Amino acid sequence: HVQLVESGGGPVQPGESLRLSCAASKGRYERYCMAWFRQRPGKKREGVAKITALGDMATYSDSVKDRFRISVNGNTMYLQLGSLQDDDTGMYYCAAAPVGNGCGLVEEYFPYWGRGTQVTVS
C-alpha cells in the first residue's frame, strides 16, 4: 500500500511558475507508474502528466505540453508548472499504480491517490 501527500499548491499570478510535490510516506516508487491529474472548475478530472518511477518515458496532455514538467527523485514526484494561465486553476492530484496495471493516463489505472493540492491562478 502506498500513501501519497501533495504539497506546493497556492495562489499565483498568470505567467508565473509553481512546483508541486508528491511524497510517499512509505514504500518505493521504483516499481510504479506515477501521474498527476487535475480537476478544473466545472470539468471532470483529467490526466496531466505521467512518468515511470525511474524518471523515463514522461508523457503530457496536450493542454500542458511544453509548459509543465514531471520528474521523480527518490520517493518524491514533482510537477513544475510554468507559464501558468487562469484555466490551469484546479485541484491537482498525484496518483500511483503498480507497473502491472499499465501506465495509461486514465483514472482507472491508478489505485493510490493523494488528497490533492489547490492551484489558483488569478
Side-chain angles (χ1 to χ4, degrees):
H1 191 271
V2 178
Q3 295 180 335
L4 305 172
V5 180
E6 302 96 336
S7 62
V12 295
Q13 296 181 2
E16 294 185 344
S17 299
L18 199 65
R19 188 178 73 165
L20 308 181
S21 300
C22 175
S25 60
K26 60 181 180 181
R28 299 178 181 178
Y29 288 170
E30 286 85 354
R31 296 289 189 269
Y32 287 81
C33 175
M34 304 292 298
W36 288 96
F37 291 78
R38 69 181 180 184
Q39 187 166 19
R40 295 180 287 174
K43 299 182 179 180
K44 296 181 178 179
R45 189 155 56 185
E46 62 187 317
V48 174
K50 64 179 177 68
I51 194 170
T52 65
L54 295 178
D56 61 349
M57 301 181 67
T59 303
Y60 302 89
S61 68
D62 289 340
S63 63
V64 306
K65 186 174 182 292
D66 299 323
R67 296 192 299 116
F68 293 4
R69 189 173 76 88
I70 188 172
S71 62
V72 294
N73 186 1
N75 285 343
T76 303
M77 178 177 65
Y78 302 94
L79 185 68
Q80 182 71 37
L81 296 75
S83 300
L84 284 164
Q85 305 164 7
D86 55 0
D87 62 353
D88 292 317
T89 292
M91 184 71 74
Y92 285 71
Y93 302 87
C94 66
V99 294
N101 286 20
C103 200
L105 194 54
V106 296
E107 290 187 43
E108 290 78 7
Y109 288 0
F110 293 89
Y112 306 115
W113 292 82
R115 294 178 63 186
T117 185
Q118 178 69 33
V119 174
T120 302
V121 186
S122 63

